[in-house]
Amino acid sequence: MVSPTFIFYFTLTLFLFLNVSKAQNKASNKTILVDKSGKGQFTSVQKAIDSIPSNNKQWTTILVNAGVYKEKVTIVKDKQYIILKGKDRLSTVIEWDDSGNSLKSSTFLLYAPNFMARDITFKNTYNLVLEDDVVKKITWAPAALLYADKASFYGCGFIGIQDTLTDLQGRHFFYNCYIEGAVDFIWGFGQSLYQNSEIHVKSKDIGVWKAFITAQGRESDSQTSGFVFKYCKVTGTGPAYLGRAYKSHSTVVYYQSSFDNIIAPEGWNIMRQAGNEKYITYAEVQCKGPGANLSKRVKWEKTLSSGELQKFIDRKLFLNQDNWIEEQLIHV
């Protein structure tokens, strides 16, 4: 039998070891300051990123002072281990106006794994401001494109109209974020958990009369991708569909989330996958609010067993088997 004294000293030693390790990790970080007025090393976010050497192995924090940075920002594949941190998502904004391509038109493009963003907003201003009360053609205009594994976002904003968050590929974690759009504004083949976040539908005021929140692209049972919304809230204007199937095995789960009275009664839609309903996993579990009435939902909405549900809502089981989220957090 292990004595209480041994347990105490073992726990204390482990605590000290972890905190020393964390301090060492933080001490080894490099910090770069971006400030529009010239009070930092750079006035441009892209120039700060470009200053990081190729094949970087050292966690580097880019602190972005408050301001609106009108630029397109790309993090290429060999610029790993970057933390992009603003003051808060309302005062620190990276924005650009581009449209017409679901990939290339994005304001922010991430191709490097091992990335974290905190307290910053990515915005595509196309169609957000009407010109002479005229709405431009609704088309692809992403605010952010994620084509990399192990990317996390805390307190961030993503604002656009169509394809706002191109969650294209890899494992991604979003916490306390704000995502706004109207047409397929969270889409892609990503394996992502959205937790304690607000999903805001902006449709009627820009001429969109039927909104689609997600267009997830899972294509087979062997894939593990899907979008999970846990403890989120859906607000804005409707009618809005929780998702429309982009590929044959499209997978989206809402768990213990709240819906304003904007959700279309049938809840879900199909883009071009009619006939594949039995393969699609669309589910709502323990959701609430006036938009959460299930009585008129599509008949092919799934009812998940407790085991199936756990594989989606348990962060470790769904996307964090190698503890990459915790490994990132020790460097903040």
Side-chain angles (χ1 to χ4, degrees), residues 39-310:
K39 296 178 181 178
Q41 287 118 301
F42 298 95
T43 58
S44 158
V45 177
Q46 185 63 61
K47 288 180 179 178
I49 291 167
D50 292 343
S51 74
I52 298 172
S54 298
N55 301 310
N56 175 57
K57 300 296 183 183
Q58 180 186 23
W59 278 99
T60 301
T61 299
I62 299 176
L63 295 175
V64 185
N65 277 346
V68 177
Y69 296 80
K70 294 182 180 294
E71 56 180 311
K72 193 184 262 284
V73 173
T74 301
I75 301 181
V76 296
K77 192 173 182 178
D78 64 357
K79 303 274 188 177
Q80 294 190 44
Y81 303 105
I82 290 176
I83 299 170
L84 189 63
K85 189 177 189 308
K87 291 296 183 181
D88 60 71
R89 70 171 181 85
L90 296 178
S91 68
T92 311
V93 180
I94 299 172
E95 68 176 38
W96 195 249
D97 183 332
D98 196 3
S99 64
N101 189 298
S102 60
L103 306 180
K104 295 179 182 179
S105 297
S106 188
T107 299
F108 175 72
L109 302 97
L110 175 68
Y111 298 104
N114 299 302
F115 171 82
M116 179 193 294
R118 303 179 72 92
D119 306 316
I120 196 165
T121 285
F122 307 96
K123 179 189 291 188
N124 192 321
T125 58
Y126 177 81
N127 250 342
L128 291 179
V129 179
L130 304 187
E131 296 180 2
D132 299 323
D133 295 325
V134 175
V135 178
K136 299 176 186 176
K137 177 184 177 183
I138 302 298
T139 186
W140 308 288
L145 178 144
L146 311 179
Y147 194 71
D149 193 31
K150 296 191 286 189
S152 60
F153 300 83
Y154 301 84
C156 291
F158 303 85
I159 298 176
I161 298 298
Q162 181 168 345
D163 296 358
T164 302
L165 180 48
T166 298
D167 192 346
L168 203 61
Q169 182 173 302
R171 294 172 294 167
H172 310 135
F173 179 57
F174 302 82
Y175 186 85
N176 194 28
C177 290
Y178 174 88
I179 307 162
E180 177 184 296
V183 180
D184 304 333
F185 64 97
I186 304 174
W187 84 280
F189 306 85
Q191 183 172 341
S192 301
L193 175 60
Y194 299 80
Q195 187 170 324
N196 296 87
S197 296
E198 179 177 357
I199 315 303
H200 186 78
V201 181
K202 181 175 181 177
S203 54
K204 288 184 179 178
D205 52 342
I206 48 90
V208 176
W209 298 99
K210 184 186 291 184
F212 301 94
I213 296 172
T214 65
Q216 204 281 330
R218 184 166 171 167
E219 297 180 279
S220 72
D221 282 332
S222 63
Q223 295 178 346
T224 57
S225 70
F227 298 157
V228 177
F229 297 88
K230 182 178 179 181
Y231 312 146
C232 291
K233 59 182 179 180
V234 179
T235 62
T237 57
Y241 290 83
L242 296 168
R244 60 174 172 173
Y246 175 55
K247 294 294 182 180
S248 61
H249 289 66
S250 185
T251 299
V252 180
V253 176
Y254 291 82
Y255 174 69
Q256 290 191 9
S257 295
S258 65
F259 304 150
D260 282 358
N261 190 26
I262 64 170
I263 306 302
E266 57 270 39
W268 307 91
N269 194 274
I270 290 182
M271 188 181 301
R272 60 174 79 95
Q273 299 300 324
N276 289 313
E277 288 87 349
K278 65 180 179 180
Y279 302 118
I280 296 168
T281 300
Y282 282 165
E284 303 165 65
V285 183
Q286 299 174 28
C287 294
K288 61 183 181 180
N293 188 332
L294 301 179
S295 63
K296 296 182 180 179
R297 291 295 196 257
V298 293
K299 295 180 180 179
W300 42 271
E301 183 177 41
K302 293 293 189 296
T303 300
L304 302 175
S305 68
S306 59
E308 290 170 330
L309 176 64
Q310 200 65 21

Side-chain angles (χ1 to χ4, degrees), residues 1-15:
M1 182 175 179
V2 179
S3 70
T5 302
F6 174 82
I7 294 174
F8 171 78
Y9 281 108
F10 176 80
T11 304
L12 179 60
T13 302
L14 181 61
F15 173 80

